[in-house]
Amino acid sequence: VQLQASGGGLVQAGGSLRLSCAFSGRTFSNYYMGWFRQAPGKEREFVAAISWSGGSTHYADSVKGRFTISRDNAKNTVDLQMNSLKHEDTAVYYCAARTTTHNDWETMPHGYDYWGQGTQVTVSS
């Protein structure tokens, strides 16, 4: 499996960015997908996840109501729409894929099997 994240950049507080992650190598619809982020000096933290079909989503409290995760199983992509960005959203954002037969949410990095290379998001205050 290969994951390629894109869409990061510099944005002012209150602005929006849309991240995208391209999946290849296996059947995309067999994988739960997630987004994580890691700020300098901090541990990698969960941001959002989406089920195989896209019918269910789960968010960290810190982004709930501002971020939206979505997937397109025909295009093998998972996106993260980020609105009302705050300075504290500044981090490297990673997409991840999880092999699971259970319809439950995993918010720990070790629960994911494959990772993209990360894309930098910088929010200026």
Side-chain angles (χ1 to χ4, degrees):
V1 170
Q2 291 187 326
L3 301 172
Q4 182 73 37
S6 62
L10 173 64
V11 63
Q12 288 187 334
S16 298
L17 277 177
R18 188 176 184 89
L19 306 183
S20 187
C21 177
F23 176 105
S24 62
R26 294 285 174 89
T27 302
F28 181 56
S29 58
N30 288 346
Y31 292 81
Y32 263 55
M33 298 299 297
W35 284 95
F36 286 75
R37 65 187 182 187
Q38 189 166 17
K42 295 187 177 181
E43 294 186 349
R44 192 166 298 189
E45 65 172 1
F46 171 78
V47 174
I50 191 165
S51 61
W52 306 288
S53 67
S56 298
T57 57
H58 184 62
Y59 297 93
D61 288 343
S62 59
V63 306
K64 200 172 294 182
R66 300 188 297 123
F67 290 12
T68 303
I69 187 172
S70 61
R71 67 188 295 162
D72 187 333
N73 285 350
K75 295 182 179 179
N76 291 357
T77 57
V78 57
D79 291 350
L80 185 69
Q81 177 67 42
M82 306 185 294
N83 299 328
S84 302
L85 282 161
K86 304 176 181 179
H87 178 66
E88 50 264 42
D89 294 319
T90 296
V92 177
Y93 282 70
Y94 299 88
C95 59
R98 175 179 171 230
T99 307
T100 181
T101 57
H102 302 289
N103 192 24
D104 57 354
W105 297 115
E106 176 61 70
T107 62
M108 298 301 293
H110 62 71
Y112 288 74
D113 304 294
Y114 303 98
W115 291 84
Q117 86 289 1
T119 184
Q120 177 70 47
V121 172
T122 303
V123 184
S124 62
S125 56

